[in-house]
Amino acid sequence: MEPEAATGRAANTGPEPATETGPEPAAQAARHEASPASSRLGAVLAVLSIVLMAACLRPAATSLGPVLAEVEAAFGLQGWQAGLLTALPGAAYVVFGAVAFLVLRRLGMFRALLLCVVAIAVGLLVRVLGDSWAAFAGFTTLALAGMAMGNVVLPVYVKARFPTAQTRAVTVFMMALGLGAALPTLLTAPAADVLGGWRPGLGLWAALPVLALVVWLALRGLGPTPDLGARTPASSGARPRPITASRGVWALTLYFGLQSLHAYVQFGWAAQIYRDAGLDPVTAGLMVTIIVAGGIPGGFIAPQIVARGRHVRPVLVGYAIAAMGGYAGLLLAPTTLPWLWAVGLAVGGFSFPSALALITVRTRRPEVTARTSGFVQPVGYLLAAVGPLLLGVVLEATGSWEVPLVALLVLAGLMGLAAWIAGAPGSVDAELEPVRDADAADGVDAAAEDADVGGR
């Protein structure tokens, strides 16, 4: 696998990626060529590390809901305390996702991901051992911090480690992410019944980051970890443009934020919408499971469509149309074919793996991938966090689901428009070409635009 990686780096128009032991990719590739068995083992461990670490990035958020009532009873929580626990994931995405790029630049790829995995493991395990609600919330926050930073850093590792196998690597990452979200939702409550309580039911998910840590350390023992590309040399007189100078980044941010808004609304309110329409709690919960489980096939299908670059924009808009169909069904006939509306929302949820895949595909160099991901995700999640709150306000003001569902229909249409813009050909790298001084900025912009149009 490493010889391929070396070839991919040589073909890259950007600077050579450095490892944490020094920028010597040619020597590194030669060492791996001399040991084919070590190279094959390294490739297997690299894929396994992606699977395990991606699966770690959701249980801290999705495992709590099925046993939230038991946690409330155990700690005697008031309503605001339970509400705070459910709001922590969104806050963690915004706060810790925003500093993930700085952590990556300071610690390097290996230590940054090591920090993420350790934080998740310690947080998931220790939070179930104490008798204090403050300790439970604190260690949940620690796990969510590792999860939020891993959201930003892990796609960069995928980009750097498999430069010539992007489609397969991103597909593996997204499928593992979907499983890591769906399985805790489905299995935490049954596991709590079998194991004797909510504490072991929640604590068992700490096994995932522990396994990921073992594999990550074993992979490190075989050689250095690919890292970010070097910065533009200061001697050239050039300076990098800010990430906000890219129109593509703003389009990706809007698309990511809107699809996250829909996901948060569905996870938080879909069951209540079904129950208010007349479904029993079990059936309503099953509908939500259908919506969440859509992340598994979506994690397989969506990244491949984005990475192959064929009919990307119409497909992305199609996901938004499916979501609009789901909301329209909930508005007009929620109990007639409830599973069909859930399937529509699940297909609309394919927008999440598509948005993450676009971050990887629309960037060439790992450092640009990191900067883009470090901006798009926190800002997008900040937009998403407002959605459920405003929906609750509108619901209380109107007393019915009619106005909120119409609003969600409109927002799904806006998501389709954002998807069309974000799915346009071109790369963020071209928009961020360094400039020598402020007076030259307009000329560089024009050149980047010309290159982009030519590439289309």
Side-chain angles (χ1 to χ4, degrees):
M1 200 66 185
E2 288 298 330
E4 282 187 9
T7 303
R9 286 191 290 267
N12 199 324
T13 57
E16 295 287 347
T19 69
E20 294 177 61
T21 56
E24 300 176 347
Q28 178 183 330
R31 285 195 298 272
H32 284 288
E33 286 176 351
S35 178
S38 176
S39 180
R40 285 193 296 271
L41 178 59
V44 171
L45 290 178
V47 172
L48 186 57
S49 68
I50 291 172
V51 169
L52 290 172
M53 283 194 283
C56 290
L57 299 182
R58 290 296 180 269
T62 61
S63 62
L64 180 59
V67 293
L68 181 58
E70 288 79 3
V71 173
E72 288 182 274
F75 293 116
L77 302 186
Q78 300 179 20
W80 70 268
Q81 292 172 309
L84 178 61
L85 288 178
T86 61
L88 282 175
Y93 282 129
V94 174
V95 175
F96 296 102
V99 302
F101 176 69
L102 298 178
V103 172
L104 177 58
R105 291 295 293 174
R106 177 63 63 90
L107 300 183
M109 186 77 72
F110 173 77
R111 287 186 291 273
L113 282 174
L114 182 69
L115 175 65
C116 294
V117 174
V118 169
I120 295 171
V122 172
L124 289 179
L125 182 60
V126 179
R127 73 174 180 174
V128 301
L129 299 179
D131 295 323
S132 163
W133 172 79
F136 183 87
F139 282 104
T140 296
T141 301
L142 178 63
L144 292 170
M147 179 187 76
M149 291 189 292
N151 262 349
V152 174
V153 178
L154 188 55
V156 182
Y157 172 67
V158 172
K159 180 85 172 179
R161 182 60 178 79
F162 298 107
T164 61
Q166 289 291 292
T167 302
R168 293 193 295 273
V170 171
T171 299
V172 168
F173 166 68
M174 289 308 310
M175 288 191 69
L177 195 65
L179 285 170
L183 290 181
T185 303
L186 297 175
L187 300 180
T188 299
D193 290 338
V194 171
L195 298 176
W198 64 268
R199 293 180 187 273
L202 285 179
L204 68 87
W205 298 108
L208 275 175
V210 170
L211 288 174
L213 179 62
V214 172
V215 173
W216 191 235
L217 293 173
L219 180 62
R220 175 67 167 183
L222 295 178
T225 304
D227 210 342
L228 296 177
R231 291 181 181 271
T232 304
S235 60
S236 67
R239 58 179 176 81
R241 302 184 71 188
I243 196 70
T244 52
S246 167
R247 289 171 294 181
V249 166
W250 283 110
L252 285 169
T253 301
L254 181 60
Y255 180 41
F256 189 92
L258 286 171
Q259 65 80 25
S260 295
L261 181 149
H262 286 287
Y264 272 56
V265 166
Q266 291 161 22
F267 296 161
W269 290 103
Q272 193 62 45
I273 293 173
Y274 277 115
R275 292 184 65 176
D276 288 347
L279 295 186
D280 64 87
V282 174
T283 305
L286 179 60
M287 297 303 104
V288 177
T289 299
I290 292 174
I291 296 172
V292 174
I296 299 175
F300 176 76
I301 297 170
Q304 298 198 53
I305 293 174
V306 171
R308 291 174 181 176
R310 297 178 182 177
H311 313 297
V312 172
R313 299 167 90 182
V315 171
L316 297 184
V317 172
Y319 298 153
I321 293 173
M324 293 177 71
Y327 289 129
L330 290 175
L331 176 64
L332 301 175
T335 60
T336 302
L337 292 170
W339 62 268
L340 183 59
W341 318 139
V343 169
L345 296 178
V347 174
F350 286 18
S351 298
F352 172 64
S354 298
L356 283 183
L358 279 173
I359 293 174
T360 302
V361 170
R362 294 288 180 252
T363 55
R364 293 196 300 265
R365 293 183 292 122
E367 180 166 348
V368 177
T369 303
R371 292 174 64 198
T372 302
S373 183
F375 180 83
V376 167
Q377 292 200 50
V379 178
Y381 280 123
L382 182 60
L383 173 62
V386 177
L389 177 62
L390 289 181
L391 190 72
V393 172
V394 174
L395 177 63
E396 184 175 359
T398 61
S400 75
W401 284 106
E402 186 173 322
V403 174
L405 285 171
V406 170
L408 289 171
L409 263 168
V410 174
L411 288 171
L414 290 177
M415 182 176 73
L417 177 61
W420 184 267
I421 300 171
S427 72
V428 172
D429 301 62
E431 296 181 305
L432 298 180
E433 288 297 325
V435 294
R436 293 183 179 277
D437 53 51
D439 295 332
D442 292 340
V444 174
D445 281 345
E449 288 184 13
D450 291 342
D452 190 12
V453 172
R456 297 182 193 186

